[in-house]
């Protein structure tokens, strides 16, 4: 009984697969990246970053965000402060509110907006000496 022990010129199946499988995986990742990168730019058109969408409806921040969205000017409204006292606002409270407003108005000057319906360029270029609150 003779056994042919001469080495074969062909590589074993596992070794052959080991050569092209990593390149196939890399190629699939590159193809996936080529397809997905252009689509990622469209993601911002279907997502929302509003606080009202992520917070509970009962949260005060959600109520303020909803109120702010309903105001004219949308994102132009920078600050919203609510002062509340169960028994009503006192004169001292009003003085505190006025002081807070004046401090913020110095640091962040209010934008002067022409009244609705006026398209006069002079109103936009030369704001009145006192800004609207």
């Amino acid at each position: 009984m003779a056994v042919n022990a001469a080495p074969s010129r062909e590589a074993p199946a596992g070794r052959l697969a080991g050569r092209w499988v990593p390149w196939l995986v890399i190629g699939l990742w590159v193809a996936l990246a080529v397809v997905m990168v252009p689509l990622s730019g469209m993601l911002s058109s279907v997502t929302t970053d509003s606080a009202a969408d992520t917070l509970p409806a009962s949260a005060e921040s959600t109520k303020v965000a909803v109120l702010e969205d309903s105001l004219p000017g949308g994102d132009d409204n920078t600050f919203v402060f609510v002062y509340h006292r169960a028994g009503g606002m006192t004169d001292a409270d009003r003085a505190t509110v006025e002081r807070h407003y004046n401090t913020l108005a110095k640091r962040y000057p209010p934008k002067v907006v022409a009244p609705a319906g006026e398209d006069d360029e002079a109103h936009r270029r030369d704001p009145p000496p006192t800004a609207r609150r």
Side-chain angles (χ1 to χ4, degrees):
M1 193 161 154
V3 176
N4 187 4
S8 171
R9 296 267 182 210
E10 295 179 20
R15 190 169 174 179
L16 181 63
R19 290 182 184 169
W20 61 271
V21 170
W23 289 108
L24 176 67
V25 171
I26 291 170
L28 288 174
W29 276 109
V30 168
L32 185 65
V34 166
V35 171
M36 296 304 287
V37 166
L39 294 177
S40 67
M42 295 181 214
L43 187 60
S44 63
S45 67
V46 294
T47 59
T48 58
D49 296 330
S50 173
D53 296 333
T54 57
L55 296 172
S58 61
E60 289 182 9
S61 298
T62 305
K63 293 175 185 176
V64 169
V66 169
L67 177 65
E68 190 175 50
D69 290 341
S70 69
L71 294 174
D75 293 335
D76 291 340
N77 300 315
T78 306
F79 295 106
V80 177
F81 291 96
V82 178
Y83 291 85
H84 173 75
R85 182 185 298 269
M89 299 287 285
T90 65
D91 289 337
D93 294 333
R94 287 185 182 83
T96 301
V97 170
E98 186 74 23
R99 191 177 73 248
H100 290 171
Y101 175 80
N102 291 334
T103 301
L104 288 171
K106 286 178 189 171
R107 186 176 294 168
Y108 307 103
K111 294 179 184 176
V112 178
V113 180
E118 289 187 24
D119 273 343
D120 189 10
E121 289 291 325
H123 287 287
R124 284 188 224 140
R125 281 182 276 140
D126 301 324
T130 58
R132 287 183 12 191
R133 292 183 199 182

